[in-house]
Amino acid sequence: MKSDQTIIRKNLMEQLNFTTNLLEIKDPNITILNVLNDGTHKEIFAKLDYPAPKCPHCQGQMAKYDFQKESKIPYLECAGYKTLIRLRKRRFRCKDCGKMAVAETSLVKKNHQIATIVNQKIAQKLMERLSMTDIAESLAVSTSTVIRKLKEFEFKADLNYLPTHMSWE
């Protein structure tokens, strides 16, 4: 009976590792716990955990505390389904000064909830001159997020030369 449970766990771990590879999640500290395949979208339940670092404030030793409420991180489509990662991040507490810190990952920027790869895809689609609502809908983010990304672009005019034809009204 115990060997059956071991085989089931091994198969589950292989499937979760396959999911990590399929989504190209490079952070080894992210562990996928479960994948829920709803008819309209996929939800991936994961946690971010690693050994306690030094305190950024006093350089004292931090200790593992608990997990943050899960973040809902929209991710790129997978097999034609919209994908949402529900990530629980480890919190740390300094033994000396009592300050709290949250685990960080390359999957999302600090204090952000949109995956870095999704932000890159927004920028790519903005250069393709698609409408903002189409971009937002295809990447499962809000139009405001797309507008915020557009405002990050810098448009510089080269004033070192005049065009060959000029028109005034």
Side-chain angles (χ1 to χ4, degrees):
M1 188 70 165
K2 192 171 185 175
S3 63
D4 289 343
Q5 289 177 345
T6 306
I7 292 170
I8 291 170
R9 280 190 188 145
K10 185 178 178 185
N11 288 341
L12 180 61
M13 292 308 293
E14 286 176 3
Q15 289 174 353
L16 296 178
N17 287 336
F18 176 75
T19 304
T20 306
N21 292 335
L22 183 66
L23 295 174
E24 293 187 7
I25 296 175
K26 305 283 189 223
D27 193 334
N29 299 316
I30 294 177
T31 306
I32 294 181
L33 305 172
N34 196 8
V35 178
L36 177 70
N37 189 356
D38 195 3
T40 57
H41 66 283
K42 292 182 185 292
E43 288 188 36
I44 298 164
F45 295 87
K47 70 177 181 177
L48 172 64
D49 193 10
Y50 50 82
K54 295 279 186 192
C55 177
H57 302 285
C58 71
Q59 298 306 311
Q61 185 56 46
M62 298 189 90
K64 289 184 176 185
Y65 189 64
D66 63 357
F67 283 95
Q68 241 184 2
K69 182 181 162 193
E70 65 186 26
S71 302
K72 297 175 189 169
I73 302 169
Y75 205 71
L76 297 178
E77 279 190 5
C78 180
Y81 289 99
K82 293 189 190 297
T83 306
L84 181 70
I85 299 175
R86 293 180 174 268
L87 184 64
R88 296 180 70 218
K89 298 178 187 174
R90 169 68 74 184
R91 292 197 311 170
F92 304 101
R93 185 167 188 221
C94 181
K95 293 177 181 178
D96 299 330
C97 68
K99 298 246 183 188
M100 301 287 282
V102 178
E104 296 179 26
T105 178
S106 59
L107 185 67
V108 290
K109 289 182 184 176
K110 186 175 180 177
N111 300 324
H112 287 230
Q113 296 219 348
I114 296 176
T116 308
I117 196 165
V118 172
N119 275 322
Q120 292 169 351
K121 195 69 169 174
I122 292 170
Q124 178 187 358
K125 288 186 178 255
L126 282 168
M127 287 188 267
E128 292 173 4
R129 297 181 182 240
L130 297 171
S131 76
M132 289 188 218
T133 51
D134 287 345
I135 295 170
E137 190 176 304
S138 70
L139 296 174
V141 296
S142 69
T143 309
S144 303
T145 301
V146 178
I147 292 169
R148 245 181 276 121
K149 191 67 182 173
L150 178 63
K151 287 181 180 178
E152 289 178 13
F153 284 104
E154 278 188 37
F155 300 100
K156 292 184 180 179
D158 187 4
L159 304 175
N160 292 328
Y161 70 95
L162 291 173
T164 54
H165 300 285
M166 296 180 74
S167 176
W168 285 275
E169 285 188 26

